[in-house]
């Protein structure tokens, strides 16, 4: 059976390699020419076809401004239904906006702590503190975005080039590196 495992492992690695090649070949392709009126609809169709768009409107009142002051909470909110408030590596959501990018606004996670919140003890007598022997780090996901460019073949119209960006979607706790 060790031979079968090796074959399956090789096939899995080959499949991952081919998937990466497909993603790489999709990036930077121009996606047709659109008038200013057709631009957003064209972008939405391309993004939907590539399964990278959620059909939800972003309510900016629920998010923080990217880069505003953030603080590590002294206590975890154990009763919260939201993972980001109960995590030992808590995070908040902010909006990253970039004109000429589709989608223009992307919700991103920002880690609130440098270390991780460690709980010592149980119940109401437990102490919580930030431990710098651990690091809060973002968990990222690749997302395709389209960048607006002027159409070279048809002045006054626009095209898109696709790019893959890494979007922080949550934070997790890892052991700090030792050198």
């Amino acid at each position: 059976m060790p031979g079968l495992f090796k074959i399956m492992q090789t096939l899995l690695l080959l499949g991952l390699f081919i998937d990466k090649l497909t993603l790489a070949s999709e990036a930077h392709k121009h996606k047709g020419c659109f008038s200013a009126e057709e631009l957003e609809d064209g972008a939405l169709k391309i993004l939907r076809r590539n399964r990278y768009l959620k059909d939800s409107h972003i309510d900016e009142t629920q998010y923080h401004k990217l880069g505003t002051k953030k603080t590590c909470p002294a206590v975890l909110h154990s009763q919260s239904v939201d993972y980001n408030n109960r995590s030992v590596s808590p995070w908040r959501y902010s909006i990253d906006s970039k004109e000429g990018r589709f989608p223009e606004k992307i919700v991103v996670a920002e880690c609130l702590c440098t270390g991780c919140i460690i709980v010592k003890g149980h119940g109401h007598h437990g102490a919580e503190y930030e431990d710098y022997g651990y690091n809060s780090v973002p968990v990222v996901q690749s997302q395709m975005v389209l960048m607006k460019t002027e159409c070279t073949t048809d002045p006054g119209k626009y095209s898109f080039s696709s790019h893959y960006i890494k979007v922080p979607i949550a934070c997790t706790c890892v052991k700090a590196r030792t050198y």
Side-chain angles (χ1 to χ4, degrees):
M1 283 305 187
L4 180 61
F5 176 74
K6 195 68 167 170
I7 291 170
M8 290 183 70
Q9 183 181 25
T10 303
L11 288 172
L12 177 64
L13 290 173
L14 181 62
L16 291 172
F17 177 72
I18 289 171
D19 188 47
K20 289 286 184 199
L21 283 177
T22 304
L23 286 176
S25 70
E26 180 69 22
H28 303 291
K29 280 187 180 174
H30 290 276
K31 305 292 182 183
C33 294
F34 303 92
S35 68
E37 297 80 34
E38 301 169 321
L39 195 63
E40 190 168 343
D41 284 340
L44 292 174
K45 285 178 186 171
I46 293 165
L47 290 171
R48 276 191 203 111
R49 189 171 44 242
N50 287 280
R51 297 173 299 203
Y52 283 99
L53 184 70
K54 293 182 179 129
D55 286 333
S56 58
H57 176 70
I58 295 175
D59 179 6
E60 292 189 48
T61 61
Q62 296 181 13
Y63 302 102
H64 300 273
K65 282 193 171 187
L66 203 56
T68 58
K69 187 173 174 16
K70 56 188 179 196
T71 56
C72 183
V75 177
L76 297 177
H77 303 284
S78 61
Q79 300 301 315
S80 176
V81 295
D82 299 321
Y83 295 137
N84 61 313
N85 293 321
R86 293 191 328 234
S87 174
V88 295
S89 180
W91 67 90
R92 70 179 186 185
Y93 290 107
S94 300
I95 297 176
D96 177 39
S97 295
K98 187 170 187 177
E99 196 172 323
R101 177 184 71 193
F102 290 92
E104 185 176 321
K105 296 175 183 176
I106 298 174
V107 176
V108 297
E110 290 183 287
C111 299
L112 295 176
C113 304
T114 303
C116 297
I117 306 297
I118 302 300
V119 180
K120 290 275 186 177
H122 298 289
H124 297 293
H125 304 292
E128 296 179 4
Y129 63 95
E130 186 175 3
D131 187 334
Y132 297 100
Y134 298 90
N135 298 133
S136 288
V137 296
V139 176
V140 297
Q141 175 180 358
S142 287
Q143 179 177 345
M144 185 178 82
V145 296
L146 301 174
M147 299 303 295
K148 174 181 160 182
T149 59
E150 285 196 45
C151 200
T152 56
T153 59
D154 195 353
K157 290 197 174 187
Y158 300 92
S159 183
F160 300 106
S161 57
S162 59
H163 301 270
Y164 286 88
I165 60 171
K166 299 222 182 274
V167 178
I169 58 170
C171 292
T172 191
C173 184
V174 297
K175 184 80 173 137
R177 273 192 200 164
T178 55
Y179 297 97

